[in-house]
Amino acid sequence: MAKTTDTADDRPEERRGGAGSVQSVDRAVSVLEILAKLGEAGVTEISEELGVHKSTAFRILGVLENRGLVEQERDRGKYYLGAGVLRLAGAAAIRLDISQEGQPVCRALAEDTGETANIAVLDGDAAVNIMQARGSAAVTAYNWLGRRTPLHATASGKVLLAHLPAPRRETLVTRKLPRFTERTLTTAAGLRAQLAAALEDGFACTSEELEIGLNAVAAPVRAHDGAVIGAIGVSGPAYRMEHQLLPELAERAAKAAADLSRLMGFPG
């Protein structure tokens, strides 16, 4: 691994500016790579690998330790990768699994409904679409793949938001909710009511809440332990996915969600 040399960039981040901050991130990642390669290492060994002073290495290790990404054997002073790395790896593995297992289910839902089918997962305070398939009636070339969408204005987002732990859900519900159309829910009370309905019904719907002329339905995808790890749904033009048809389409999405959940190990 190429070593870096200490310069004035070893000053605190607030004094270094953008370039120094990037270098700090690079060094932190390098520490994780060193520990992955060696299994365990002390401050001296890590500082030599990085080509920095021990104080700099110790400061980086302290930040990583506070985040749970590294841990220290107190009796020997050696550092090793922490449980936080496993948590991040597990989240990445779930995304890979749901992408792989979800492809045929997403295509089947698109064929069944004739509309665009999507699989979305939670990404911080938004939903991100990781899978998309177009049905025979989906004439639009719009690509939702990789797009981050607001939780309160999309069917998939409402599903993911409804199944969050109560404290996290309430934090997101009570913040300012941007308006995208005249039909967007922008009050905490209104959003809470729709989330409660999503939990009871097993699906969520939106009618022109993100874009005029666009309706959508979605249902939760569960992991082996029952935790909601994604949402699968259908979106299409409001003139074709009329409001009265949404419950029927939602039932199809719920069936697809159940099929994908079984592939993910959920026994229900």
Side-chain angles (χ1 to χ4, degrees):
M1 180 182 299
K3 297 183 179 181
T4 60
T5 57
D6 264 347
T7 67
D9 282 336
D10 283 315
R11 292 172 297 173
E13 284 188 15
E14 60 272 17
R15 297 175 58 195
R16 293 200 307 263
S21 298
V22 171
Q23 186 179 55
S24 294
V25 173
D26 180 71
R27 286 172 173 173
V29 173
S30 296
V31 169
L32 297 177
E33 291 176 339
I34 291 168
L35 294 178
K37 178 181 69 174
L38 301 179
E40 61 178 28
V43 175
T44 299
E45 191 172 6
I46 291 171
S47 67
E48 290 175 352
E49 285 280 334
L50 287 178
V52 301
H53 295 160
K54 287 178 63 175
S55 60
T56 300
F58 186 78
R59 186 170 65 247
I60 295 170
L61 286 163
V63 172
L64 293 173
E65 187 174 17
N66 287 338
R67 293 285 185 170
L69 298 176
V70 304
E71 297 178 14
Q72 184 182 24
E73 293 182 354
R74 298 300 176 184
D75 55 337
R76 295 193 303 147
K78 297 280 189 176
Y79 288 87
Y80 55 93
L81 293 178
V85 173
L86 297 178
R87 183 181 68 252
L88 296 177
I94 286 175
R95 287 199 181 192
L96 290 173
D97 287 346
I98 198 172
S99 295
Q100 293 170 358
E101 300 291 354
Q103 289 183 17
V105 179
C106 194
R107 286 196 296 266
L109 180 59
E111 292 172 4
D112 178 44
T113 61
E115 304 294 350
T116 300
N118 286 282
I119 297 175
V121 296
L122 189 67
D123 185 23
D125 60 353
V128 62
N129 292 284
I130 62 172
M131 181 66 55
Q132 176 174 289
R134 293 191 181 93
S136 57
V139 295
T140 178
Y142 194 88
N143 186 10
W144 292 92
L145 196 60
R147 179 178 173 183
R148 283 169 54 88
T149 56
L151 297 177
H152 70 290
T154 59
S156 294
K158 289 179 185 178
V159 167
L160 297 170
L161 184 55
H163 289 86
L164 283 177
R168 174 61 174 159
R169 182 176 65 242
E170 189 63 14
T171 296
L172 294 174
V173 166
T174 55
R175 67 178 181 168
K176 183 178 180 181
L177 302 174
R179 181 180 296 279
F180 300 96
T181 75
E182 62 181 12
R183 298 192 177 184
T184 306
L185 277 172
T186 58
T187 66
L191 184 55
R192 286 193 196 98
Q194 286 213 356
L195 298 181
L199 291 173
E200 182 177 351
D201 298 336
F203 60 82
C205 304
T206 53
S207 297
E208 300 185 275
E209 296 172 37
L210 180 63
E211 295 180 6
I212 294 296
L214 180 69
N215 288 353
V217 297
V221 177
R222 299 180 182 274
H224 65 92
D225 59 357
V228 171
I229 56 174
I232 184 168
V234 178
S235 61
Y239 70 84
R240 200 162 53 229
M241 285 182 59
E242 297 177 346
H243 184 76
Q244 62 269 26
L245 298 179
L246 295 185
E248 178 189 343
L249 290 169
E251 289 183 6
R252 298 187 190 184
K255 181 182 180 303
D259 291 341
L260 181 50
S261 296
R262 281 191 289 271
L263 291 175
M264 298 300 294
F266 181 60

